[in-house]
């Protein structure tokens, strides 16, 4: 995994830098357990292409892993909109399910605090 991460990082800010490279880096970082690094990589991917629905999907997962469920929900909401605009029905459905599960899991917390 380290060799893959090193290779991807070396390509950043070079001629091949772009949404796909940053998405690949974020995915590798997420797999390696570096949620904060993954969040930064996915956010950079989305600077290159704000309609990249797969990046929105994994950004939400990375933010959730980083312990920020509200920002994960926001990423998935924005990703659902981006996927809808692109016609990416599968990504739209997946993020809708992730968002629904997150909202359902946080509903008992909200009720307990009332």
């Amino acid at each position: 995994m380290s060799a893959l991460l090193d290779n991807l990082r070396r390509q950043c800010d070079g001629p091949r830098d772009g949404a796909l490279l940053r998405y690949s880096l974020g995915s590798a970082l997420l797999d390696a357990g570096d949620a904060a690094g993954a969040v930064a990589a996915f956010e950079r991917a989305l600077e290159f292409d704000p309609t990249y629905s797969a990046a929105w999907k994994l950004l939400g997962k990375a933010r959730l892993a980083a312990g920020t469920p509200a920002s994960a929900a926001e990423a998935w909401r924005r990703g659902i909109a981006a996927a809808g605009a692109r016609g990416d029905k599968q990504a739209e459905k997946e993020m809708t399910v992730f968002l629904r599960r997150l909202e359902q899991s946080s509903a008992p917390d909200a009720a307990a605090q009332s």
Side-chain angles (χ1 to χ4, degrees):
M1 181 61 81
S2 178
L4 173 63
L5 286 171
D6 290 344
N7 183 36
L8 292 169
R9 285 183 174 128
R10 273 195 305 274
Q11 294 179 59
C12 291
D13 298 320
R16 292 188 172 179
D17 201 358
L20 181 59
L21 174 63
R22 298 301 176 130
Y23 172 84
S24 299
L25 176 60
S27 182
L29 288 166
L30 191 57
D31 288 345
D34 182 356
V39 166
F42 292 128
E43 288 174 345
R44 185 69 175 111
L46 290 162
E47 288 175 16
F48 282 106
D49 182 359
T51 67
Y52 196 172
S53 51
W56 284 112
K57 181 173 74 170
L58 288 188
L59 174 59
K61 287 188 172 211
R63 285 178 172 176
L64 190 60
T68 57
S71 65
E74 178 60 23
W76 287 327
R77 284 187 197 98
R78 293 182 67 187
I80 290 165
R86 277 184 103 159
D88 188 351
K89 297 295 183 193
Q90 183 61 35
E92 187 177 4
K93 287 178 187 176
E94 289 176 13
M95 287 184 276
T96 299
V97 169
F98 298 155
L99 182 58
R100 188 178 320 120
R101 286 181 184 160
L102 178 61
E103 290 170 345
Q104 288 172 347
S105 72
S106 61
D109 296 337
Q113 292 176 4
S114 298

